Amino acid sequence: MSKNLKNIGVVSGLTVVSRVLGLFRDALSAAVFGATALNSAFVTAFRIPNLFRRLLGEGSLTAAFIPTLQHELHGKGREAAYRLVNEVASWIFLVSIALVAVGMLAFANARILSGHEERWYLSADLSVYLFPYLIFVCLAAVYGATLNVMQRFTESAMSPVLLNISMIVTLGGAGLHWASTPMGEMQWLCGGVLVGGVMQMLLPAAALYRRGWRPKFLLSWSPGVREIARLMAPGLWGAAIYQVNLVVIQLLAMSLNDSAASLLFYAGRITELPIGVFAIAVSTVVYPLIAEHAAKGDFRSMASDYLRGMRMILVINVPAAAGLALLSVPIVRVLFQRGHFSAQDTHFLAPLITLSVLGLPFFSVVSLTTRAFYALKDTATPVRIATLSFFVNLGGSLLLMHWLGTAGLVIASTAAVVIQCVLLQILLSRRVPEILMSTLAPDLLKIFVGALAMSALVGACWWGWLEGRGLRADLIALVVLIPAGTLLYGAVLWVAKIGGREEFAALFEKLLSRLR
């Protein structure tokens, strides 16, 4: 397991860099554009290619592609596996080109539909610029998944770093220097997305090239391609449901006012930080392992790796949720409150973060549980549960948004993901009886006790000493209270002998020995 922990550490470390750069990018865009109609139009427009990315790239395709490529690689060798990579990449390139052409044409003519508020037309205009991003990121997903099967995770984890750097440079450098209007600055930002997409595609492709792969355009309908298509077909909706939910909620937020979509986006970005840093990293590393165990029929080993992965996810995300809820106000003030992002925007954004993090541990687990079903080549069950979650989200949003505004959208989304998580776990335990959630109960208790101790320390210091004392107090809260709370939480888990403690200790000792 130490090798897996090392891989998780690599992915998590690079994801930390990506998320920090992403927060800097968001802080920059908030300062330049504020919570305005133009910014809301951008975050909504950017959801559209990301929806299709989940449909064709990182979602159902990856879920179907990895088990099939595992069989091809171990059964027929690397040459056959590389041929399958070229076949899949060729089909993805063709389909994405067609989608981009249709999407750009449709959005370019959106103003034919008159009578809507200007922010809707701005979103359509920006969608025309952003749609080609879909081509690059879908191909990047194919190449990145191939590297993951070969136990190479660095390039895939590094890919989002390049996107964030590109967007920061184009907006903070070229945009602010050469653009004379907000729309000009926004066009530079959109250009940064496209350049970042190209770099996201080239990085894993270059890594594969160094390992012997050579790109070829192969539109053959081989047994491997047919198997992937068969597995993808029922899973398209299920794999994209998260992005579909985001798009639907984003559109509902756009209908409320000029700032709602921007505020909802920033709340999501803060909440996604611990998910992206660790939960997705764990799922990325654990998925090829449980897929391999499932392919061999070794369900005991599959259950063992799955439960270890879940414990790792919860160890990080339960205290992260508590910390984000307690310190939402200083976090928003330090990250965003400058330039065109006002104190009033902070007043509306902080409660949205507090509400969002209630579902953080559940959402973190959903990613791993869904991949466990995919490892079993069961794409139907996640589709059914995801569909139920979608309608809970949609119905709750339509009901609550008129009473609670943007907060109602967040509450509905949180309720939907909790229901999705619980139902998926129940059904997975029935499918693989070796997965006994009761074995995690002692560790869950230790996690909650540690999170409670951390919350007591952080809450007492913030409300009793720092709250209302200005920016310096906000910085102290982030720089001092977060590490202090983390150390206390870690100490509680260590004393309580949390499961996996020895593995972390062995990895830490190994790292220290290398530094000597």
Side-chain angles (χ1 to χ4, degrees):
M1 191 64 182
S2 61
K3 181 181 178 182
N4 300 326
L5 285 173
K6 180 181 178 181
N7 289 332
I8 290 169
V10 169
V11 176
S12 297
L14 287 173
T15 306
V16 167
V17 175
S18 172
R19 295 292 174 168
V20 169
L21 288 172
L23 285 177
F24 182 79
R25 181 198 81 196
D26 294 335
L28 178 62
S29 66
V32 173
F33 302 113
T36 60
L38 182 58
N39 203 7
S40 291
F42 171 77
V43 298
T44 303
F46 199 24
R47 293 288 190 198
I48 306 299
N50 278 307
L51 169 61
F52 286 102
R53 181 202 73 194
R54 288 289 291 173
L55 279 167
L56 295 177
E58 297 172 1
S60 60
L61 172 64
T62 300
F65 180 51
I66 285 182
T68 307
L69 188 62
Q70 286 273 21
H71 283 283
E72 202 78 7
L73 181 63
H74 296 296
K76 299 179 182 179
R78 184 163 292 194
E79 184 177 344
Y82 284 159
R83 179 179 176 84
L84 180 62
V85 172
N86 282 325
E87 291 170 344
V88 172
S90 299
W91 282 107
I92 285 295
F93 178 72
L94 190 67
V95 173
S96 60
I97 282 283
L99 281 173
V100 167
V102 172
M104 292 179 71
L105 181 64
F107 284 113
N109 292 282
R111 292 183 182 270
I112 295 175
L113 303 174
S114 59
H116 296 282
E117 294 171 308
E118 180 61 20
R119 61 179 177 269
W120 291 102
Y121 298 119
L122 285 173
S123 185
D125 293 340
L126 297 178
S127 295
V128 176
Y129 298 135
L130 294 171
F131 232 91
Y133 174 73
L134 159 66
I135 301 170
F136 312 126
V137 78
C138 284
L139 289 173
V142 175
Y143 303 143
T146 304
L147 290 171
N148 290 350
V149 168
M150 297 177 176
Q151 295 294 300
R152 289 277 305 183
F153 299 95
T154 303
E155 290 79 11
S156 298
M158 185 69 182
S159 181
V161 174
L162 300 179
L163 174 66
N164 287 323
I165 291 175
S166 177
M167 294 174 70
I168 290 169
V169 170
T170 52
L171 176 59
L176 294 182
H177 183 71
W178 285 311
S180 57
T181 64
M183 179 54 77
E185 294 166 342
M186 183 59 73
Q187 288 170 339
W188 274 104
L189 179 59
C190 292
V193 172
L194 299 181
V195 172
V198 172
M199 292 192 295
Q200 284 182 292
M201 177 189 67
L202 292 179
L203 179 65
L208 274 179
Y209 192 89
R210 290 193 297 270
R211 297 175 72 87
W213 166 77
R214 295 295 180 267
K216 295 180 182 178
F217 190 73
L218 298 174
L219 282 178
S220 53
W221 195 243
S222 68
V225 173
R226 291 198 299 270
E227 172 76 359
I228 292 169
R230 183 185 67 81
L231 292 172
M232 278 185 67
L236 280 172
W237 170 252
I241 189 62
Y242 176 60
Q243 289 293 330
V244 170
N245 269 327
L246 289 179
V247 170
V248 169
I249 299 308
Q250 201 78 40
L251 294 176
L252 291 176
M254 281 278 283
S255 69
L256 288 173
N257 52 62
D258 284 350
S259 63
S262 294
L263 295 176
L264 194 66
F265 172 79
Y266 290 131
R269 292 288 291 173
I270 295 294
T271 307
E272 289 170 2
L273 180 61
I275 297 174
V277 167
F278 203 76
I280 300 302
V282 172
S283 298
T284 299
V285 174
V286 170
Y287 179 43
L289 296 175
I290 61 177
E292 184 176 355
H293 294 319
K296 295 177 179 177
D298 186 359
F299 296 111
R300 186 175 298 277
S301 296
M302 177 185 175
S304 177
D305 282 338
Y306 173 81
L307 291 173
R308 285 178 179 178
M310 178 175 285
R311 183 175 59 218
M312 290 180 187
I313 288 172
L314 293 175
V315 161
I316 297 298
N317 283 279
V318 169
L324 287 172
L326 288 168
L327 299 178
S328 60
V329 171
I331 287 172
V332 173
R333 281 202 291 247
V334 169
L335 290 178
F336 298 123
Q337 192 174 305
R338 63 184 56 83
H340 289 90
F341 197 94
S342 65
Q344 184 179 23
D345 294 327
T346 297
H347 174 75
F348 288 117
L349 177 55
L352 298 183
I353 295 173
T354 301
L355 291 172
S356 295
V357 299
L358 295 176
L360 174 57
F362 299 94
F363 180 80
S364 302
V365 169
V366 163
S367 174
L368 180 61
T369 309
T370 300
R371 296 189 189 206
F373 278 104
Y374 290 150
L376 297 167
K377 295 189 176 182
D378 178 1
T379 55
T381 298
V383 169
R384 290 196 296 268
I385 303 304
T387 301
L388 174 63
S389 173
F390 171 76
F391 284 110
V392 169
N393 191 6
L394 179 60
S397 296
L398 291 173
L399 178 66
L400 296 175
M401 63 184 287
H402 297 293
W403 297 340
L404 303 174
T406 313
L409 300 178
V410 176
I411 293 171
S413 180
T414 300
V417 78
V418 170
I419 292 172
Q420 183 182 12
C421 177
V422 172
L423 291 179
L424 280 175
Q425 191 54 56
I426 290 173
L427 294 175
L428 180 63
S429 298
R430 291 178 182 174
R431 180 70 185 273
V432 184
E434 290 85 353
I435 297 179
L436 299 174
M437 291 301 298
S438 58
T439 60
L440 286 182
D443 287 331
L444 288 176
L445 179 60
K446 296 169 186 176
I447 290 169
F448 282 112
V449 170
L452 184 62
M454 180 205 74
S455 299
L457 172 65
V458 172
C461 292
W462 170 247
W463 285 311
W465 177 35
L466 296 171
E467 185 184 23
R469 292 176 179 254
L471 180 59
R472 181 177 298 178
D474 294 339
L475 289 170
I476 291 174
L478 270 59
V479 175
V480 177
L481 290 187
I482 291 178
T486 301
L487 287 173
L488 177 60
Y489 174 72
V492 171
L493 293 192
W494 186 263
V495 171
K497 296 183 179 180
I498 189 74
R501 187 183 77 159
E502 292 77 14
E503 295 168 351
F504 283 105
L507 178 63
F508 183 69
E509 290 178 4
K510 186 176 181 180
L511 292 174
L512 283 180
S513 65
R514 289 183 178 181
L515 294 175
R516 290 173 186 152

